[in-house]
């Protein structure tokens, strides 16, 4: 096992987790204090032919194709919903990288084939498998609500966005964690009989 590479990877994962956490906090604070316009992309009218009078709320500007809506003086709820399109993935990335860092620390301290490593791999896998659709749902719901607050006729409902293939990677990590845990138990049983 190359401990130098594992130690470097652990340090990089921790640094990236801290950077994602700082980006999460910085984005939240600066965006809530900003008094600029809030915009949202919507595909609701993408294939429709619309008259000149679009059914949009007061103070909302629509692009010529009506797929981009902007509110010049957004409410606190609209600004928070706009943040809901950015923050969940930053928080998810930060927490996943922290869990990965903890996994690598356990590998460095105890070796790769231990119960602690298997358990941390399973925890990371469950977090990724459950957190990916949850973050995607929060982003989709936020964008849907923001669109509906600017153009009340939009009724497409929330969607799940983001890289949903990560669910498979998370489930693979859970399975690998279970396999490793069984391997550790078998090794302990073998050592106990010798």
């Amino acid at each position: 096992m190359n401990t130098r590479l594992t130690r470097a990877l652990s340090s990089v994962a921790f640094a990236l987790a801290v950077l994602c956490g700082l980006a999460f906090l910085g984005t939240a604070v600066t965006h809530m204090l900003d008094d600029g316009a809030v915009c949202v992309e919507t595909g609701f009218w993408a294939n429709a032919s619309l008259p000149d009078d679009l059914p949009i709320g007061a103070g909302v500007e629509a692009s010529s194709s009506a797929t981009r809506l902007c509110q010049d003086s957004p409410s606190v709820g609209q600004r928070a919903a706009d943040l809901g399109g950015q923050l969940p993935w930053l928080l998810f990335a930060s927490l996943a990288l922290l869990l990965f860092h903890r996994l690598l620390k356990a590998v460095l301290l105890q070796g790769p084939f231990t119960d602690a490593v298997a358990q941390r791999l399973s925890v990371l896998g469950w977090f990724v498998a459950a957190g990916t659709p949850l973050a995607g749902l929060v982003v989709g719901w936020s964008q849907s609500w923001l669109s509906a607050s600017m153009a009340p006729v939009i009724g497409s409902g929330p969607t799940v966005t983001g890289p949903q293939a990560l669910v498979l990677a998370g489930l693979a990590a859970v399975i690998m964690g279970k396999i490793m845990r069984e391997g550790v138990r078998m090794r302990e049983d073998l050592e106990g009989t010798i």
Side-chain angles (χ1 to χ4, degrees):
M1 181 178 80
N2 191 345
T3 58
R4 192 178 309 161
L5 178 63
T6 306
R7 189 171 284 117
L9 189 56
S10 175
S11 298
V12 167
F14 183 74
L16 288 174
V18 169
L19 283 175
C20 285
L22 290 174
F24 173 84
L25 292 173
T27 302
V29 169
T30 58
H31 196 71
M32 287 307 284
L33 296 176
D34 184 19
D35 61 352
V38 168
C39 295
V40 65
E41 297 284 332
T42 178
F44 184 76
W45 287 301
N47 296 323
S49 58
L50 298 170
D52 292 333
D53 188 26
L54 296 174
I56 56 177
V60 176
E61 292 181 22
S63 65
S64 61
S65 63
T67 57
R68 181 173 170 85
L69 303 170
C70 292
Q71 177 79 45
D72 284 331
S73 55
S75 67
V76 173
Q78 287 174 320
R79 193 163 297 286
D82 188 40
L83 272 175
Q86 302 169 21
L87 294 185
W89 290 116
L90 286 172
L91 182 62
F92 173 79
S94 181
L95 293 176
L97 285 165
L98 280 176
L99 290 173
F100 184 61
H101 167 71
R102 286 189 62 222
L103 171 68
L104 292 177
K105 282 295 228 191
V107 168
L108 286 170
L109 295 175
Q110 301 174 8
F113 302 107
T114 62
D115 196 42
V117 171
Q119 185 177 8
R120 289 184 182 178
L121 182 60
S122 292
V123 168
L124 176 62
W126 280 119
F127 178 79
V128 170
T132 299
L134 181 64
L137 186 61
V138 169
V139 169
W141 180 83
S142 296
Q143 295 302 300
S144 176
W145 186 88
L146 186 58
S147 295
S149 73
M150 292 184 195
V153 296
I154 295 177
S156 61
T159 59
V160 178
T161 63
Q164 297 305 310
L166 287 177
V167 173
L168 296 176
L171 292 175
V174 170
I175 292 168
M176 286 303 299
K178 288 187 181 282
I179 291 170
M180 284 179 64
R181 191 171 297 130
E182 286 302 315
V184 167
R185 286 192 187 119
M186 289 173 60
R187 186 183 71 193
E188 289 171 353
D189 290 344
L190 184 62
E191 288 174 357
T193 59
I194 294 179

